[in-house]
């Protein structure tokens, strides 16, 4: 029987640079697949439907929820964001690891459903730096930035629910840290013990 892949949940406060670190991680060869999220927020310039997000209407999103087709979802600063279930399940069943980049409420839902996932929290070096990044991005109004910062504080308090905290002081370094964590997780005894039990049982000495 093929072993199921690992579910990697990567989250952290808005503006911390999750998207940039994720892009860095995916620049090099990996043995894991990115799960594209669904959202009802407006498409930003340069974003591609089906690659950055699946951009959907509220009605379409709510229908997916009603049909039980989301692994998790959250309402975040007035919009829905969520992870379509089918892709995640199929990919894990194929024995491949799946990488989710989601916010904290969603990550906590995944933890309930998939307790053996790997939960990695990306932190800013400090909150001033985070404010600077949100302002520098130039995509949100002052009001939205203020609400994202408030949200960030709440989210950082929930770091204790995660397995690993990685500081995003430098994108390259943060990406390397995350990759090392994923690699090491594959060697955890509770993940591989079955294989060795079979090995012992199958061999006559
Ligand atoms: P943004 O609007 O900046 O692209 O994303 C806002 C927040 O939603 C970010 O923290 C991002 O990680 C999070 N997010 C993106 N996709 C998902 C998802 O599928 N589920 C959840 N719960 N959050 C998501």
């Amino acid at each position: 029987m093929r072993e199921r892949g690992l579910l990697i949940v990567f989250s952290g406060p808005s503006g911390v640079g999750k998207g940039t670190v994720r892009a860095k991680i995916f620049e090099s060869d990996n043995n894991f697949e990115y799960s594209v999220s669904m959202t009802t927020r407006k498409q930003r310039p340069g974003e591609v439907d089906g690659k950055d997000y699946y951009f959907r209407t509220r009605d379409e999103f709510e229908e997916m929820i009603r049909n039980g087709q989301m692994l998790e979802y959250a309402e975040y600063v007035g919009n829905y964001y969520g992870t379509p279930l089918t892709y995640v399940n199929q990919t894990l069943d194929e024995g491949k690891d799946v990488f989710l980049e989601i916010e904290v409420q969603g990550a906590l839902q995944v933890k309930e459903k998939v307790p053996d996932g790997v939960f990695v929290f990306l932190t800013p070096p400090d909150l001033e730096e985070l404010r600077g990044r949100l302002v520098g991005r130039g995509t949100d109004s002052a009001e939205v930035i203020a609400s994202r910062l408030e949200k960030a504080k709440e989210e950082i308090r929930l770091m204790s629910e995660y397995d690993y905290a990685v500081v995003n002081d430098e994108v390259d370094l943060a990406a390397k840290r995350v990759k090392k964590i994923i690699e090491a997780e594959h060697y955890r005894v509770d993940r591989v013990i079955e294989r060795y039990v079979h090995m012992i049982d199958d061999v006559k000495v």
Side-chain angles (χ1 to χ4, degrees):
M1 200 186 74
R2 195 188 307 196
E3 277 169 38
R4 240 181 157 233
L6 213 66
L7 185 62
I8 302 135
V9 180
F10 184 54
S11 60
S14 173
V16 70
K18 290 189 295 285
T20 319
V21 173
R22 182 246 300 169
K24 190 61 152 183
I25 293 171
F26 278 87
E27 256 178 26
S28 52
D29 276 351
N30 296 301
N31 293 321
F32 41 88
E33 309 282 324
Y34 179 63
S35 158
V36 177
S37 294
M38 193 168 282
T39 186
T40 58
R41 89 144 156 71
K42 262 182 73 187
Q43 196 165 346
R44 293 181 185 140
E47 285 184 330
V48 178
D49 185 36
K51 182 169 168 275
D52 298 290
Y53 282 105
Y54 296 108
F55 295 96
R56 295 290 183 268
T57 63
R58 283 188 83 82
D59 281 351
E60 287 166 337
F61 200 106
E62 283 170 356
E63 192 173 340
M64 295 277 292
I65 299 171
R66 274 197 303 277
N67 293 340
Q69 290 170 297
M70 305 307 281
L71 168 63
E72 60 74 34
Y73 69 93
E75 208 155 356
Y76 183 91
V77 199
N79 288 299
Y80 281 126
Y81 293 83
T83 305
L85 182 61
T86 310
Y87 175 81
V88 171
N89 269 339
Q90 275 174 1
T91 313
L92 291 175
D93 285 345
E94 285 167 17
K96 294 183 201 146
D97 297 345
V98 177
F99 189 97
L100 307 184
E101 181 213 311
I102 62 179
E103 54 68 69
V104 177
Q105 295 171 66
L108 298 182
Q109 293 170 40
V110 179
K111 203 177 170 193
E112 286 281 308
K113 293 183 182 168
V114 191
D116 69 343
V118 182
F119 295 82
V120 182
F121 191 88
L122 190 69
T123 69
D126 57 61
L127 276 184
E128 270 319 302
E129 162 120 20
L130 185 59
R131 185 196 305 276
R133 285 185 202 177
L134 288 170
V135 171
R137 194 155 78 175
T139 50
D140 296 318
S141 65
E143 205 188 342
V144 170
I145 289 175
S147 86
R148 282 184 189 257
L149 272 179
E150 265 318 301
K151 191 98 194 160
K153 286 193 204 168
E154 276 171 39
E155 290 177 331
I156 291 169
R157 287 192 194 100
L158 289 167
M159 185 199 285
S160 57
E161 299 290 327
Y162 287 73
D163 302 313
Y164 298 93
V166 169
V167 64
N168 186 17
D169 46 357
E170 231 186 89
V171 173
D172 282 6
L173 285 179
K176 275 191 196 140
R177 291 171 188 137
V178 175
K179 291 182 77 161
K180 280 187 196 157
I181 289 168
I182 297 169
E183 196 185 340
E185 277 286 329
H186 276 277
Y187 297 105
R188 283 176 61 120
V189 166
D190 53 353
R191 297 196 193 281
V192 297
I193 188 94
E194 279 288 301
R195 212 188 292 163
Y196 292 96
V197 169
H198 287 304
M199 183 174 88
I200 293 164
D201 287 350
D202 291 348
V203 175
K204 303 245 181 308
V205 198

